[in-house]
Amino acid sequence: MNKKLPMSCIAALLAGFFLLLCLACSRQPSLPPLAADTVILAFGDSLTFGTGAQPGQSYPAVLARLVERRVVNAGIPGEISAQGLQRLPGVLDEVQPALLLLCHGGNDMLRHLSHEELRSNLRAMVGLAQSRGIAVMLIAVPEPSFAVKAPPLYAELAKELGLPLEAKILARIERQRSLKSDQIHPNADGYYHMAEAIAQALRKHGAIK
């Protein structure tokens, strides 16, 4: 004998369903907590190297002070993502970091190289790190255009691979002349803002308190 559920039960079930749906939608990628003695690897090009500021003012140098962890600066000015992909395995094996901060692609875009090739190279770099048990956070680089925003491939790749993404800080810096040393590179203040945003993202995703 079929019995109809009371309206109050149906309402409760629907409320529970929508609550679960909202929780699933709001769930963000997490990072493993970083012990005080672990190493963070900042990998990229001139934006990581710190072109436009003194060595102690690069974003990795500032980030190390903000999060009280060792941050290795592995930025090579002028490097494209294909070269970064070739270089990364040796750096990972040498440094053995707990976390990779991957900020690459600006030179690909300056040279008008394929976005699909950039996406493929970034995906391969993430795979190299993850195969070694290394967590990854992606940092989006804006295109050199009037709009000054990162191409969708960064957000799409982060979603595909379940990666934390810092998508806004470099575009914000690029829009403010006072934070730049030239048309492309941040100055010391710009790198400080970049490090602050990355430190905030690390806290947001659980890597540090």
Side-chain angles (χ1 to χ4, degrees), residues 171-198:
R172 191 179 307 144
I173 291 169
E174 291 295 329
R175 294 189 192 104
Q176 297 186 51
R177 185 66 187 90
S178 63
L179 297 179
K180 297 195 295 181
S181 62
D182 56 32
Q183 291 299 314
I184 297 172
H185 300 100
N187 56 23
D189 288 340
Y191 285 121
Y192 190 90
H193 280 271
M194 185 177 178
E196 278 192 320
I198 293 170

Side-chain angles (χ1 to χ4, degrees), residues 33-86:
L34 296 176
D37 61 348
T38 53
V39 179
I40 299 171
L41 175 62
F43 190 85
D45 50 34
S46 58
L47 294 174
T48 298
F49 179 81
T51 298
Q54 297 298 314
Q57 299 170 330
S58 67
Y59 103 71
V62 177
L63 182 66
R65 298 192 288 271
L66 292 176
V67 303
E68 299 182 327
R69 303 292 192 281
R70 181 182 171 215
V71 181
V72 174
N73 186 333
I76 299 291
E79 184 177 76
I80 61 173
S81 62
Q83 295 168 329
L85 177 57
Q86 292 179 338

Side-chain angles (χ1 to χ4, degrees), residues 5-180:
L5 288 174
M7 290 301 296
S8 59
C9 291
I10 294 174
L13 288 170
L14 287 172
F17 172 77
F18 284 116
L19 177 60
L20 289 172
L21 185 62
C22 289
L23 287 173
C25 292
S26 63
R27 191 177 297 124
Q28 297 187 4
S30 62
L31 291 168
L34 296 176
D37 61 348
T38 53
V39 179
I40 299 171
L41 175 62
F43 190 85
D45 50 34
S46 58
L47 294 174
T48 298
F49 179 81
T51 298
Q54 297 298 314
Q57 299 170 330
S58 67
Y59 103 71
V62 177
L63 182 66
R65 298 192 288 271
L66 292 176
V67 303
E68 299 182 327
R69 303 292 192 281
R70 181 182 171 215
V71 181
V72 174
N73 186 333
I76 299 291
E79 184 177 76
I80 61 173
S81 62
Q83 295 168 329
L85 177 57
Q86 292 179 338
R87 181 170 64 95
L88 182 58
V91 178
L92 292 175
D93 292 343
E94 177 185 355
V95 176
Q96 297 187 1
L99 172 66
L100 168 65
L101 300 176
L102 182 56
C103 179
H104 227 304
N107 291 307
D108 293 58
M109 290 183 273
L110 283 170
R111 299 184 189 188
H112 304 287
L113 302 180
S114 164
H115 278 197
E116 284 309 308
E117 182 178 354
L118 172 57
R119 185 199 305 264
S120 176
N121 291 335
L122 290 172
R123 184 187 293 110
M125 285 190 250
V126 172
L128 286 170
Q130 292 181 335
S131 69
R132 291 164 168 79
I134 300 166
V136 181
M137 186 169 85
L138 193 60
I139 301 168
V141 182
E143 289 190 271
S145 65
F146 180 77
V148 192
K149 63 180 181 180
L153 71 91
Y154 288 97
E156 292 165 359
L157 194 60
K159 182 177 180 181
E160 173 192 336
L161 302 177
L163 301 177
L165 171 68
E166 199 335 293
K168 297 180 180 179
I169 185 57
L170 279 171
R172 191 179 307 144
I173 291 169
E174 291 295 329
R175 294 189 192 104
Q176 297 186 51
R177 185 66 187 90
S178 63
L179 297 179
K180 297 195 295 181

